[in-house]
Amino acid sequence: MDLSWSEDEKGFRREARAWLETNLAEWRDELAGPVLSGDTPEGFAQHLRWERRLFAGRWAAVSWAPHHGGRGASLWEWLLFEEEYHRAGAPMRVTQNGVFLLAPSVYEFGTAAQRDGILPRVANADDLWCQGWSEPNAGSDLASLTSAARRVDGGWVLDGQKTWTTRGAFCTHLFGLFRTVAGSTRHHGLSYLLVPLDTPGVTVRGFGRLDGDEGFAEVFFDQAFLADEAVPGGVVLGEPGNGWAVAMATAGSERGLTLRSPGRFLATANRLAGLLAERGGGDAVLRRRVADAWMKAEAYQLHTLRAVTFLAAGEQAGPEASLSKLWWSELDVELHETALDLLGPDAERDGPWSRGWQFSLSGPIYAGTNEVQRNIAAERLLGLPRR
């Protein structure tokens, strides 16, 4: 694994840094007010303006093909862009479910018509996608889902309910798993469907989180007719009845490097080190905790570079994504808890470190709980027997 950057890659980093500095300043000036949470209606609208600025600069999906809205950058260059993005303090990507979760699966399982029809509209934020997997009785145990789709002439009829749908109230489309083979159980007989949320029979109901934001939604399907041509290239991603394989690929993107690149944690670790210096160095225990968290962020970057080396050699991401998910989710909590301990009584409930800590607590739960990830690592990586 070569850890040095080429002159072209260094130039790519400089170009990204310069663009981000200029455009972030312009975007913030245009807002004429504070940057709001992207999990509120007003904040989501603010962030959409940023997303369209990213697209105009060809930075919305840097590693995609140019005719899909990207710039054909390598995975290494994508990592550099991510580092610069988080170093600059750029906003959360409200298109992340489409860009980082759905799109890799469209590239892997979609037809040419689906790739050409779906991806450009994801890149320019015309279509905003949410993930429809969790159900009231199927969260971490995704294979127990009961939402169903019945084949009829010209499409599918959908019934059921999805919940905990992140930013579902603000999105236009949903990708989700539905049981399409009557009488099937567990991960058999499922299909991965692409659903416009304005389909008659689909009801989206937003609800608030404990932190006061409104980023979740329930989605109900009541005899909703999903026409085959509702999405360019067709509404089934992959083969009908084989949705589990597509979903596991999406889960790999969610748990591994695609959604949570090391740039995010390196930037947080550097801000933590800055906070330590600002507070006068803290005591010996706190200094050690800051150093430990910073080294773990650096180690996560090295782990990711190793993973990208394998991907660049044509290998596929597999159950190793569970290790990445365990790593970044627990590191995020550690970084923020250390910051709050450094701040002590100065930690404000609505301050950036406090809000970051509140969000970090969800990390060991979403994208498959860490208990599930440990089971995957034990059984599929270590070969331990299933109990």
Side-chain angles (χ1 to χ4, degrees):
M1 186 171 70
D2 184 359
L3 297 180
S4 60
W5 299 111
S6 69
E7 289 304 314
D8 286 346
E9 289 163 341
K10 291 175 183 176
F12 182 90
R13 182 194 288 277
R14 287 193 295 271
E15 181 185 358
R17 180 175 294 190
W19 188 91
L20 285 164
E21 288 177 354
T22 300
N23 283 271
L24 277 169
E26 291 178 357
W27 174 69
R28 287 174 177 137
D29 286 344
E30 289 174 1
L31 298 182
V35 178
L36 305 174
S37 166
D39 289 335
T40 62
E42 299 81 6
F44 192 83
Q46 286 184 343
H47 285 61
L48 270 186
R49 294 177 66 173
W50 171 248
E51 291 289 345
R52 290 184 173 127
R53 187 179 276 270
L54 278 173
F55 176 73
R58 299 174 56 238
W59 294 106
V62 296
S63 60
W64 294 9
H67 66 282
H68 290 152
R71 56 171 57 209
S74 68
L75 282 174
W76 305 107
E77 290 170 327
W78 172 75
L79 284 173
L80 291 176
F81 175 71
E82 286 284 300
E83 278 188 29
E84 291 303 316
Y85 191 88
H86 292 286
R87 187 199 65 81
M92 169 189 73
R93 300 290 304 274
V94 294
T95 57
Q96 65 180 19
N97 283 337
V99 173
F100 298 129
L101 303 189
L102 175 63
S105 293
V106 172
Y107 267 115
E108 183 174 356
F109 294 94
T111 63
Q114 286 176 319
R115 290 193 291 272
D116 292 344
I118 294 172
L119 296 176
R121 295 183 62 79
V122 172
N124 67 12
D126 275 349
D127 293 341
L128 303 163
W129 291 82
C130 59
Q131 185 184 66
W133 285 1
S134 294
E135 299 185 358
N137 295 308
S140 292
D141 185 13
L142 181 62
S144 63
L145 64 85
T146 60
S147 289
R150 175 169 51 88
R151 183 68 187 163
V152 296
D153 186 28
W156 301 81
V157 174
L158 278 53
D159 285 287
Q161 178 189 352
K162 302 294 183 179
T163 192
W164 309 117
T165 308
T166 303
R167 287 182 284 284
F170 315 136
C171 288
T172 61
H173 289 67
L174 172 146
F175 57 89
L177 276 182
F178 292 81
R179 197 163 293 286
T180 52
V181 177
S184 63
T185 59
R186 304 300 296 167
H187 57 278
H188 303 287
L190 301 170
S191 293
Y192 194 116
L193 298 183
L194 309 172
V195 187
L197 289 173
D198 61 357
T199 301
V202 176
T203 302
V204 180
R205 186 168 67 195
F207 62 92
R209 303 186 312 210
L210 282 176
D211 64 3
D213 287 352
E214 307 160 54
F216 286 146
E218 297 173 294
V219 184
F220 300 88
F221 305 90
D222 183 13
Q223 292 285 295
F225 175 68
L226 177 63
D228 288 334
E229 68 274 15
V231 170
V235 296
V236 181
L237 186 60
E239 294 296 322
N242 194 33
W244 187 256
V246 188
M248 290 304 97
T250 305
S253 299
E254 186 177 22
R255 294 165 185 166
L257 66 93
T258 310
L259 183 65
R260 293 287 180 258
S261 67
R264 170 182 174 142
F265 306 103
L266 288 170
T268 305
N270 286 330
R271 283 197 284 273
L272 179 63
L275 180 66
L276 176 70
E278 180 185 306
R279 305 294 289 189
D283 61 28
V285 173
L286 278 172
R287 288 199 298 274
R288 189 177 306 117
R289 288 175 59 190
V290 171
D292 284 345
W294 187 88
M295 286 190 291
K296 287 176 182 173
E298 290 283 326
Y300 179 58
Q301 183 193 35
L302 293 173
H303 169 77
T304 302
L305 294 174
R306 177 176 176 272
V308 170
T309 300
F310 283 117
L311 291 174
E315 302 284 344
Q316 296 292 319
E320 289 81 3
S322 293
L323 298 180
S324 296
K325 200 272 175 169
L326 288 166
W327 199 325
W328 61 251
S329 61
E330 295 181 357
L331 171 60
D332 205 23
V333 175
E334 182 177 344
L335 286 163
H336 287 88
E337 284 186 343
T338 304
L340 292 185
D341 287 341
L342 267 171
L343 288 167
D346 295 334
E348 298 178 354
R349 188 173 66 86
D350 288 329
W353 283 111
S354 180
R355 288 185 67 85
W357 172 72
Q358 291 171 43
F359 182 79
S360 74
L361 295 178
S362 65
I365 301 172
Y366 70 81
T369 66
N370 282 11
E371 288 78 6
V372 169
Q373 306 315 308
R374 286 190 164 85
N375 279 341
I376 293 172
E379 294 167 10
R380 298 177 61 187
L381 295 176
L382 300 178
L384 298 179
R386 184 172 187 173
R387 297 184 60 183

